[in-house]
């Protein structure tokens, strides 16, 4: 049963209580808790302190990030916004009758401890976030960040798993869960850097589609009425996933392996798959008043957040179906066991929902009902063990943490020109550039028969990377969505502000080069310890960059997640904002792919290529830690977007310039088309290596010769710089730059890339 | 009416459903429990109310034991009815996991009997030892009721998505399959020649991708024709989806004059 705990003790003892319960509250917060129970004129019970610990954790409450997010990211007005930021996922206008739903979050800490289970349950969680809006999930994305795969085993810090082990576990976890639930994993990225050695980043996003008159809120609206019941359905509640959120809100250390293992949940896709059927059928039949998934903070956070601000709730904890007997009440209340959903139903409609559950063999139980007194009350075998003001629980303290901003140091230095052929092949074969087919093909990216342009594009026997993937969400409509996800750690490392802007620019480039127009964004912000002013400064700068850029484009952030404490005593992750971009294309049959199509076609470079070499793959290869960072301008990007979309019907292939520079872009286009290219860069005024390896905001386009006048005219009209740089031809890459000539065979290029 | 048979973990049923629906052929989703008498009375269905049953891809019951094994075992409850069903010339098709189910339940290869009690074919773990999702080339070796509308020896492009698709059988069954023209699809390269990995994506014996029973009314294949029903779903641009004629063939057969 619930134990009573006295808070009438000194400060040292208060902290000891917080630590002993594992709830992660600091002294200031413990004082607030003590004051609250003074006002209630009684001592708290363990379950009550646990409930506060969950609700007030960084993970659930965004207490360190909220004020900055409000300042920069939230509140970008756009007519497509339907239900954004406040819910588990953002709901955005798609067409007259349908909306799409976007969610993106991290599962970093669990994946560092238990890569397979951590990554798998990450998918489980994001699917529930989309389903609980009433939407059918139609695509998953998985950006991943690991330590250096060749890291010396002997130098591995104690308690840290090798990146190879983590990578293998994470990819298998995503594969085995995603493929089993039958939602295609269509996009992602894999990036390696030593800063992710002790804290890998496993982000996961999901896109869904919902009929507008079936959108379900997780908040109980005023239409709810006293006596409406909470139906808990899906998996049973167990001891797996206890304290997941408080564990995600602290730094990992060498003891984490032992002590926090139980914070990682256990996933079961074969409950999730029918659970999704049940939820969507109940929604379709208009039986559900509100729905929320059980994730961080378990039942406690779920019930609080559903009821607030219009209602209170009373829950009879003995009605929760358990995986194991003898669980303590507080464990039941905060367990984050997977595959559970909560519905609020009119009592008269319960049978209709449970009939659907029975067909799919989904277990369920009625665990409580809503009340009008705006308090949360938990009974256990007839005795009240939790009785608190709901507002106190769900409105935790908000912090304006101190931050320091580091100055950007830039400057170019004299370098020697490299041996070109060797350098190009080395860059193509570097871990962050080379083909990710070994990951992508393990994911079912076709299930659902909606994936129009694929994550790997080109000829069946010679595939290359895509920029974004085009999905056709509705069977009776050709309108589609482009999905792209990006980050750029190597620029973020130099400047969180300009790095963030580059990421925004790149995600838009990826959408546009498929022929779609940017429509909404979701962000997952992975940072270090927010209690350190320099980390908070990185967070501030990154949010500023992201928000300013999105505002200038007029494209909103509709959903997001913050993950702090990705830091250990050895490393802190490079500040890594991941941006998921959604674009809209009116007709999916007009989408553009990255592979070169036909011998003799013209190749154009669109955009202004500059000597912006800091953080480039080329400079990293040679260990150069200087140079200027690319400074992306949203207004310039807008012109490029407008120009490309205007001529898209004559563009045969398009790929943006990013990591590795122009030469990598052209090589990738060659690989997909299984055909060569011949370039002449003499008219661009710069040293050859800067032209080839600069990562400035540009595109490469393939055009039929007969269309060149129309193409150039529209570029000029939109004030976009362009260069005609060559032709698709033969079976090798030939680059002329004045007297210089670089030649590589397609075979050599493919070998390096694969 | 076609029944698309589903249970927990089948997850390609919408794609097959949509293909029949697009061709305006009556189609219904049926949960396995609705056939086996385990569902509520008003939900129960009789298999003889349908002309055909399609078993979709996915991971039925999670495929933790062996792909298709649990679905197969549960389906055996109605093996008598299934036998009668096939005997009457109705059709049963299985794609990917559905193919695995048909071999587990013993409806394929359908040589010694319509249904055999012990599996004679195994769809084993791919030689690459991993799940692979990508498009492959298939050669249409022989016609059956599911492929009437394809030309003999035609090369088509269809995606695969499986970890267990390596076709293995005994020498005797293999010889009989050849003799009886029961091998319907084989994996080939672009030129149409039998080739090894990556063209044969799983190491299947003699590059076998799909087979039928003797009469041609029970059929299973690992690749997914429903995922290339429309031209825009192809890896490489096409005017018509290569998978469309698969469904047209079935409908043509079901609409035949008896």
């Amino acid at each position: 049963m619930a134990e009573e705990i006295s808070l009438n003790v000194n400060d040292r003892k208060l902290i000891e209580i917080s630590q002993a319960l594992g709830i992660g509250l600091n002294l200031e917060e413990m004082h607030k808790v003590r004051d609250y129970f003074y006002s209630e004129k009684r001592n708290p019970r363990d379950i009550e302190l646990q409930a506060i610990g969950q609700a007030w954790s960084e993970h659930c409450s965004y207490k360190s990030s909220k004020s900055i997010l409000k300042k920069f990211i939230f509140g970008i007005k756009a007519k497509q916004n339907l239900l954004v930021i406040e819910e588990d996922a953002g709901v955005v206008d798609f067409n007259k009758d349908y909306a799409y739903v976007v969610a993106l979050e991290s599962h970093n800490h669990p994946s560092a401890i238990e890569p397979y289970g951590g990554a798998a349950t990450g998918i489980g969680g994001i699917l529930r976030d989309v389903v609980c809006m009433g939407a059918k999930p139609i695509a998953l994305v998985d950006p991943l960040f690991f330590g250096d795969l060749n890291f010396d085993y002997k130098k591995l810090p104690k308690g840290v798993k090798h990146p190879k082990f983590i990578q293998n576990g994470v990819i298998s976890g995503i594969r085995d869960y995603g493929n089993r639930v039958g939602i295609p994993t269509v996009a992602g990225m894999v990036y390696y850097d030593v800063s992710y050695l002790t804290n890998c980043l496993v982000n996961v996003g999901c896109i869904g589609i919902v009929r507008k008159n079936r959108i379900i809120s997780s908040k109980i609206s005023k239409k709810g009425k006293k006596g409406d019941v909470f139906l808990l359905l899906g998996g049973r509640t167990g001891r797996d996933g206890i304290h997941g959120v408080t564990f995600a809100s602290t730094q990992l250390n060498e003891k984490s392996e032992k002590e926090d293992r139980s914070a990682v949940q256990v996933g079961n896709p074969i409950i999730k798959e029918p659970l999704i059927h049940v939820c969507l059928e109940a929604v379709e039949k208009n039986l559900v008043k509100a729905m929320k998934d059980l994730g961080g903070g378990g039942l406690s956070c779920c019930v609080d957040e559903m009821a607030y601000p219009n209602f209170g709730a009373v829950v009879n904890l003995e009605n929760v179906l358990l995986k194991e007997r003898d669980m303590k009440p507080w464990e039941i209340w905060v367990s984050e066991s997977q595959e559970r959903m909560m519905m609020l139903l009119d009592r008269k409609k319960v049978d209709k929902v449970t009939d659907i559950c029975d067909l799919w063999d989904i277990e369920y139980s009625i665990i409580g009902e809503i009340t009008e007194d705006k308090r949360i009350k938990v009974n256990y075998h007839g005795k009240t063990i939790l009785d608190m003001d709901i507002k106190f629980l769900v409105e935790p303290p908000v912090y304006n943490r101190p931050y320091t901003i580091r100055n950007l140091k830039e400057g170019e230095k004299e370098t020697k020109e490299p041996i070109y052929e060797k350098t190009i092949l080395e860059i193509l074969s570097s871990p962050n550039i080379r083909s990710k087919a070994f990951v992508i093909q393990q994911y079912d990216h076709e299930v659902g028969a909606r994936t129009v342009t694929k994550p790997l594009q080109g000829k069946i026997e010679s595939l290359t990377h895509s920029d974004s993937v085009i999905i056709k969400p509705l069977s009776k409509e050709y309108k589609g969505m482009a999905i792209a996800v990006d980050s750029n750690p190597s620029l973020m490392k130099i400047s969180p502000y300009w790095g963030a802007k580059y990421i925004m620019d790149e995600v838009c480039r990826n959408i546009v080069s498929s022929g779609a127009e940017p429509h909404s964004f979701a962000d997952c912000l992975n940072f270090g310890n927010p209690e350190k002013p320099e980390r908070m400064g990185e967070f501030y700068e990154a949010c500023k960059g992201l928000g300013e850029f999105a505002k200038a484009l007029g494209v909103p952030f509709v959903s997001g997640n913050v993950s702090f404490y990705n830091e250990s005593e050895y490393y802190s992750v490079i500040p890594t904002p991941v941006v998921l971009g959604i674009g809209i294309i009116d007709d999916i049959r007009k989408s553009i792919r990255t592979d070169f199509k036909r011998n003799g076609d013209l190749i154009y470079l669109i955009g202004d290529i500059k000597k912006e070499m800091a953080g480039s793959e080329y400079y990293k290869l040679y260990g150069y830690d200087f140079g200027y960072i690319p400074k992306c301008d949203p207004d310039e990007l807008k012109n490029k977007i407008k120009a490309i979309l205007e001529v898209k019907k004559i563009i045969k292939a398009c790929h943006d310039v990013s990591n590795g520079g122009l030469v990598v872009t052209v090589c990738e286009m060659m690989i997909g088309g299984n055909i060569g290219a011949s370039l002449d860069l003499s008219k661009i005024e710069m040293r050859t290596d800067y032209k080839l390896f600069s990562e400035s905001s540009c595109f490469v386009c393939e055009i039929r010769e007969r269309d060149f006048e129309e193409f150039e005219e529209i570029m000029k009209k939109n004030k976009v710089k362009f260069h005609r740089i060559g032709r698709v031809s033969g079976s090798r890459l030939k680059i002329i730059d004045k007297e210089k000539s670089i030649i590589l065979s397609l075979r050599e290029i493919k070998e390096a890339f694969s | 009416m076609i029944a698309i048979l589903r249970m927990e973990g089948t997850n390609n049923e919408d794609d097959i459903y949509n293909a029949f629906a697009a061709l305006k052929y009556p189609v219904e989703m049926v949960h396995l429990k609705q056939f086996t008498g385990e569902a509520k009375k008003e939900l129960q269905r009789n298999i003889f109310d349908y002309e055909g049953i399609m078993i979709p891809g996915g991971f039925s019951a999670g495929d933790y034991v062996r792909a298709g094994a649990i679905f197969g075992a549960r389906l055996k409850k109605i093996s008598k009815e299934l036998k009668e069903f096939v005997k009457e010339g109705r059709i049963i098709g299985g794609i990917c996991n559905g193919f695995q189910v048909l071999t587990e339940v013993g409806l394929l290869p359908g040589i010694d009997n319509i249904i055999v009690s012990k599996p004679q074919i195994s769809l084993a773990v791919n030689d690459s030892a991993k799940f692979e999702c990508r498009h492959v080339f298939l050669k249409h070796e022989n016609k059956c009721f599911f492929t009437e509308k394809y030309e003999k020896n035609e090369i088509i492009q269809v995606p695969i998505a499986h970890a267990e698709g390596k076709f293995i059988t005994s020498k005797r069954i293999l010889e009989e399959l050849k003799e009886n023209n029961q091998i319907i699809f084989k994996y080939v390269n672009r030129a149409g020649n039998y080739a090894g990995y990556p063209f044969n994506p799983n190491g299947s014996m003699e590059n076998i991708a799909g087979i039928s029973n003797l009469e041609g009314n029970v059929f299973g294949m690992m690749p997914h024709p429903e995922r290339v029903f429309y031209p825009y779903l192809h890896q490489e641009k096409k005017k018509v989806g290569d998978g469309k004629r698969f469904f047209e063939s079935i409908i043509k057969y079901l609409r035949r004059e008896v």
Side-chain angles (χ1 to χ4, degrees):
Chain A
M1 282 305 280
E3 273 173 52
E4 200 176 295
I5 293 166
S6 168
L7 298 183
N8 199 3
V9 293
N10 64 27
D11 287 355
R12 193 171 52 84
K13 278 264 162 58
L14 277 180
I15 285 298
E16 278 173 20
I17 291 170
S18 169
Q19 282 168 352
L21 293 174
I23 53 176
L25 297 181
N26 64 25
L27 186 61
E28 191 187 334
E29 290 159 347
M30 285 303 281
H31 282 164
K32 282 211 168 85
V33 173
R34 186 177 60 190
D35 295 346
Y36 173 78
F37 284 101
Y38 277 159
S39 73
E40 293 271 323
K41 300 189 180 65
R42 65 177 173 89
N43 284 328
R45 302 177 195 92
D46 56 1
I47 185 172
E48 290 173 315
L49 293 178
Q50 289 289 350
I52 298 167
Q54 305 300 308
W56 291 13
S57 67
E58 186 65 58
H59 186 93
C60 288
S61 72
Y62 294 83
K63 59 191 173 191
S64 301
S65 58
K66 217 171 203 168
S67 62
I68 295 170
L69 293 172
K70 270 189 181 158
K71 187 168 177 184
F72 296 117
I73 306 275
F74 297 168
I76 300 176
K77 289 204 172 66
K79 64 177 189 312
Q80 61 264 42
N81 289 346
L82 295 181
L83 197 56
V84 301
I85 302 291
E86 273 102 37
E87 295 271 353
D88 290 309
V91 185
V92 190
D93 189 72
F94 181 68
N95 69 9
K96 197 168 118 285
D97 300 319
Y98 283 86
Y100 68 87
V101 172
V102 195
L104 178 67
E105 66 179 21
S106 63
H107 233 225
N108 302 338
H109 281 60
S111 303
I113 299 287
E114 213 282 82
Y116 183 87
T121 52
I123 298 189
I126 205 76
L127 284 172
R128 289 193 305 275
D129 284 338
V130 166
V131 170
C132 77
M133 306 307 297
K136 182 183 174 69
I138 55 170
L140 289 165
V141 303
D142 280 293
L144 310 172
F145 303 81
F146 303 118
D148 179 2
L149 290 186
N150 296 318
F151 195 87
D152 187 352
Y153 268 96
K154 285 178 221 122
K155 291 185 185 145
L156 216 52
K158 218 175 159 191
V160 173
K161 296 178 175 69
H162 195 273
K164 266 188 193 156
F165 176 83
I166 294 181
Q167 168 169 288
N168 193 20
V170 165
I171 291 169
S172 308
I174 293 168
R175 175 195 65 205
D176 289 354
Y177 199 103
N179 294 353
R180 280 195 169 93
V181 289
I183 316 295
T185 300
V186 299
M189 64 181 286
V190 187
Y191 191 92
Y192 306 97
D193 184 89
V194 74
S195 80
Y196 304 111
L197 185 78
T198 51
N199 289 83
C200 63
L201 301 181
V202 175
N203 289 182
V204 53
C206 183
I207 293 98
I209 189 94
V210 60
R211 234 165 67 206
K212 282 181 186 167
N213 59 7
R214 287 293 182 277
I215 296 168
I216 301 282
S217 174
S218 59
K219 300 240 172 260
I220 300 168
S221 74
K222 289 191 176 131
K223 280 188 213 146
K225 62 178 194 296
K226 186 172 169 266
D228 283 349
V229 297
F230 287 105
L231 185 78
L232 177 62
L233 60 160
R236 288 183 167 226
T237 302
R239 281 202 174 93
D240 52 317
I242 290 195
H243 285 164
V245 296
T246 41
F247 142 78
S249 306
T250 48
Q251 285 187 196
L252 296 179
N253 57 45
E254 63 178 85
K255 286 188 229 143
S256 299
E257 163 71 32
K258 258 195 184 142
E259 292 175 358
D260 297 328
R261 191 105 194 181
S262 64
V264 184
Q265 311 100 356
V266 183
N268 184 349
I270 300 306
I271 296 181
K272 177 62 64 45
E273 201 266 344
L275 180 62
I276 296 175
H277 284 298
V278 170
C279 292
L280 296 182
E281 197 176 325
V283 168
E284 184 54 38
K285 291 183 172 160
N286 227 344
L287 303 172
V288 184
K289 284 194 165 182
M291 182 158 64
K292 189 168 170 64
D293 75 307
L294 281 93
L299 278 167
S300 177
C301 286
C302 175
V303 173
D304 297 352
E305 287 173 25
M306 282 180 86
Y308 187 74
N310 296 321
F311 291 94
V314 56
V315 172
N316 298 311
L317 215 48
E318 68 278 6
N319 292 344
V320 176
L321 301 175
L322 301 181
K323 287 184 185 173
E324 49 193 318
R325 286 162 64 194
D326 307 329
M327 279 177 74
K328 292 190 184 111
W330 73 263
E331 290 178 320
I332 302 170
W333 191 234
V334 304
S335 161
E336 296 174 11
S337 287
Q338 287 282 295
E339 329 305 359
R340 300 180 300 163
M341 294 288 276
M342 185 83 91
M343 288 178 182
L344 185 83
L345 303 172
D346 188 319
R347 203 176 271 279
K348 284 185 231 127
K349 290 187 177 169
V350 171
D351 286 352
K352 288 192 176 135
V353 174
T354 56
D355 275 354
I356 308 171
C357 293
D358 288 336
L359 181 66
W360 287 101
D361 295 319
I362 287 294
E363 293 190 305
Y364 51 83
S365 63
I366 293 176
I367 63 150
E369 57 184 62
I370 54 173
T371 57
E372 280 164 347
D373 63 0
K374 304 201 177 171
R375 285 182 79 83
I376 293 286
K377 214 183 226 185
V378 176
N379 301 325
Y380 190 58
H381 295 297
K383 200 176 158 213
T384 299
I385 56 171
L386 182 150
D387 185 0
M388 292 169 73
D389 181 21
I390 192 165
K391 191 168 182 207
F392 174 73
L393 267 170
V394 298
E395 293 208 341
V398 172
Y399 294 105
N400 285 307
R401 296 203 188 270
Y403 61 88
T404 55
I405 290 170
R406 93 183 111 101
N407 290 328
L408 175 60
K409 291 187 209 102
E410 284 185 300
E412 199 45 84
K413 282 183 192 165
E414 201 62 31
T415 57
K416 251 188 17 210
E417 280 192 70
I419 300 167
Y420 283 100
E421 286 83 353
K422 182 172 156 275
T423 306
I424 292 169
L425 293 178
E426 273 179 31
I427 289 178
L428 279 171
S429 64
S430 69
N432 289 331
I433 301 288
R434 67 190 301 171
S435 171
K436 300 298 180 299
F438 74 100
V439 185
I440 295 165
Q441 290 182 334
Q442 289 193 55
Y443 303 152
D444 190 341
H445 46 263
E446 300 269 7
V447 53
R450 295 182 204 92
T451 314
V452 176
T453 68
K454 321 291 182 188
L456 292 169
Q457 299 180 354
K459 297 267 187 291
I460 284 177
E461 63 275 61
S462 186
L463 296 169
T464 193
H465 289 153
S466 61
D467 276 329
S468 64
V469 165
I470 302 275
I471 295 284
K472 183 175 172 295
L474 301 171
S475 57
K476 292 201 174 90
E477 174 140 14
Y478 284 114
K479 192 172 187 176
M481 295 161 70
I483 300 172
V485 65
D486 272 300
S487 191
N488 192 320
S490 87
L491 296 179
M492 286 304 296
K493 197 172 170 178
I494 300 165
S495 163
Y497 176 72
W498 290 110
K501 286 196 160 182
Y502 189 92
I503 294 166
M504 294 302 293
D505 197 280
E506 186 178 348
V507 83
C508 292
R509 295 202 302 272
N510 288 339
I511 288 168
V512 172
S513 58
S514 299
E517 191 171 2
H519 196 251
S520 70
F521 303 114
D523 57 334
C524 187
L525 308 171
N526 307 277
F527 287 75
N529 184 347
E531 292 156 43
K532 297 183 181 171
E534 61 271 37
R535 302 275 170 269
M536 216 47 219
E538 292 168 350
F539 183 77
Y540 183 93
E541 286 285 280
C543 289
K544 188 169 173 228
L546 297 175
E548 281 182 7
F549 206 94
K551 245 173 235 160
L553 292 177
V555 179
F557 276 96
V558 296
S559 172
N561 168 253
V562 179
S563 170
F564 282 127
Y565 299 97
N566 294 292
E567 176 161 3
S568 68
E569 59 182 297
Y570 306 97
Y571 295 98
S572 175
V573 298
I574 295 174
T576 310
V578 169
V579 176
L580 170 62
I582 305 293
I584 293 290
I585 183 165
D586 286 332
D587 185 340
I588 51 99
R589 293 168 296 185
K590 291 179 183 142
S591 47
I592 308 167
R593 306 172 197 221
T594 56
D595 50 308
F596 279 142
K597 300 294 183 309
R598 201 164 83 179
N599 210 27
D601 279 355
L602 300 173
I603 302 172
Y604 278 87
L605 174 67
I606 312 298
D608 193 6
I609 200 150
K610 294 180 198 150
K611 192 175 163 186
E612 297 172 320
M613 306 307 291
S616 66
E617 284 296 321
Y618 170 52
Y619 267 29
K620 279 201 307 196
L621 180 69
Y622 287 97
Y624 299 156
D625 59 352
F626 43 82
Y628 292 92
I629 188 168
K631 296 184 183 66
C632 294
D633 175 0
D635 292 325
E636 268 179 39
L637 179 69
K638 271 199 256 183
N639 291 342
K640 282 179 274 192
I641 293 175
K642 198 156 163 275
I644 286 177
L645 294 181
E646 217 175 315
V647 287
K648 89 175 182 195
K649 68 175 194 300
I650 58 171
I651 294 177
K652 297 298 161 194
C654 183
H655 196 11
D656 82 314
V657 173
S658 60
N659 295 17
L662 169 64
V663 71
V664 168
T665 303
V666 171
C667 284
E668 288 187 340
M669 296 175 88
M670 283 169 44
I671 293 167
N674 210 5
I675 196 165
S678 173
L679 308 182
D680 185 342
L681 305 177
S682 310
K683 284 192 186 140
I684 306 171
E685 283 307 323
M686 237 179 354
R687 213 169 78 180
T688 311
D689 50 345
Y690 303 142
K691 291 184 217 179
L692 291 180
F693 304 120
S694 160
E695 298 176 10
S696 297
S697 168
C698 293
F699 298 87
V700 174
C701 291
E702 175 189 355
I703 305 290
R704 293 277 132 90
E705 175 133 31
R706 59 160 198 258
D707 294 324
F708 87 92
E709 278 173 342
E710 184 184 355
F711 182 80
E712 294 191 358
E713 200 176 299
I714 289 172
M715 290 301 138
K716 279 181 204 155
K717 193 184 88 187
N718 286 293
K719 301 185 187 70
V720 170
K721 283 199 182 172
F722 64 89
H723 295 276
R724 188 196 289 189
I725 56 168
R727 282 179 192 274
V728 177
S729 81
S731 58
R732 58 183 191 172
L733 173 67
K734 189 176 173 200
I735 303 168
I736 303 289
D737 194 11
K738 291 171 187 150
E739 68 287 354
K740 219 173 282 154
S741 140
I742 302 160
I743 293 176
L744 284 164
S745 76
L746 183 55
R747 223 191 73 219
E748 286 174 282
I749 287 169
K750 278 194 196 176
E751 271 171 19
F753 185 70
S754 65
Chain B
M1 175 86 86
I2 288 265
I4 316 277
L5 195 56
R6 56 178 180 173
M7 65 176 282
E8 63 272 15
T10 51
N11 57 34
N12 293 204
E13 55 261 45
D14 289 349
D15 314 357
I16 299 181
Y17 182 97
N18 290 340
F20 283 109
L23 295 171
K24 305 212 162 36
Y25 196 83
V27 55
E28 191 182 32
M29 297 272 198
V30 180
H31 194 287
L32 177 63
K33 284 164 71 179
Q34 295 176 277
F35 275 158
T36 55
E38 295 160 278
K40 260 181 127 171
K41 206 152 190 204
E42 63 267 30
L43 289 175
Q44 287 185 15
R45 296 284 184 275
N46 182 344
I47 66 165
F48 294 101
D49 290 340
Y50 302 86
E51 287 84 49
I53 297 172
M54 292 296 293
I55 307 178
F59 286 79
S60 50
D63 277 352
Y64 292 107
V65 187
R66 192 174 62 241
I70 292 186
F71 199 151
R74 286 176 66 179
L75 204 51
K76 275 186 183 166
K77 283 186 192 158
I78 52 164
S79 41
K80 239 204 210 140
E81 288 88 341
L82 289 171
K83 192 174 171 181
E84 194 54 35
F85 192 86
V86 174
K87 214 171 173 182
E88 288 178 5
R90 301 178 199 238
I91 61 136
I92 302 182
I95 294 169
C96 196
N97 196 215
F99 185 17
Q100 294 159 342
V101 172
L102 291 177
T103 62
E104 284 290 331
V105 81
L107 280 164
L108 284 174
I111 291 170
D112 300 335
N113 209 333
I114 289 178
I115 189 161
V116 289
S117 55
K118 273 191 189 153
Q120 292 177 319
I121 291 167
S122 168
L123 290 154
V125 175
N126 298 348
D127 278 353
S128 66
K130 61 182 185 203
F131 185 97
E132 290 197 46
C133 176
R134 54 191 171 84
H135 289 238
V136 297
F137 300 101
L138 294 181
K139 186 174 171 191
H140 181 223
E141 300 274 336
N142 289 295
K143 290 193 175 192
C144 72
F145 295 132
F146 292 76
T147 63
E148 195 61 42
K149 290 209 154 198
Y150 295 98
E151 299 299 322
K152 204 175 165 191
N153 295 329
E154 184 181 347
I155 314 292
I156 60 170
Q157 299 180 7
V158 183
I160 52 149
H162 61 253
E164 293 168 70
K166 179 180 176 171
F167 184 95
I168 301 175
T169 189
S170 66
K171 216 169 169 185
R172 174 180 74 88
I173 296 289
L174 184 65
E175 286 312 313
E176 297 231 26
L177 285 172
K178 284 197 231 174
E179 189 110 330
N180 305 331
N181 294 335
Q182 283 176 259
I183 299 170
I184 309 300
F185 287 118
K186 282 191 176 188
Y187 301 108
V188 290
N189 63 15
R190 188 179 290 273
N193 301 319
Y194 307 126
Y197 190 82
F199 297 102
N200 179 351
N202 44 36
S204 284
M205 261 182 174
E206 304 221 358
N207 290 41
I208 293 173
I211 61 163
S212 76
N213 68 347
L214 263 174
E215 290 73 23
N217 65 329
V218 179
F219 169 83
M221 70 190 289
M222 288 311 297
H224 289 274
E226 77 280 15
R227 296 186 183 183
V228 278
F229 185 85
Y230 293 105
Y232 51 77
L233 293 171
H234 272 286
Q235 177 76 46
E236 298 178 10
K237 277 217 164 139
K238 289 245 176 187
K239 288 218 164 66
V240 181
D242 276 346
K244 193 175 181 187
R245 280 175 291 159
F246 178 79
F247 297 94
E248 289 174 341
S249 302
I250 297 172
I251 292 171
K252 187 184 163 196
Y253 172 72
L254 294 179
R255 287 197 172 135
R256 76 199 181 279
E257 289 187 19
V258 188

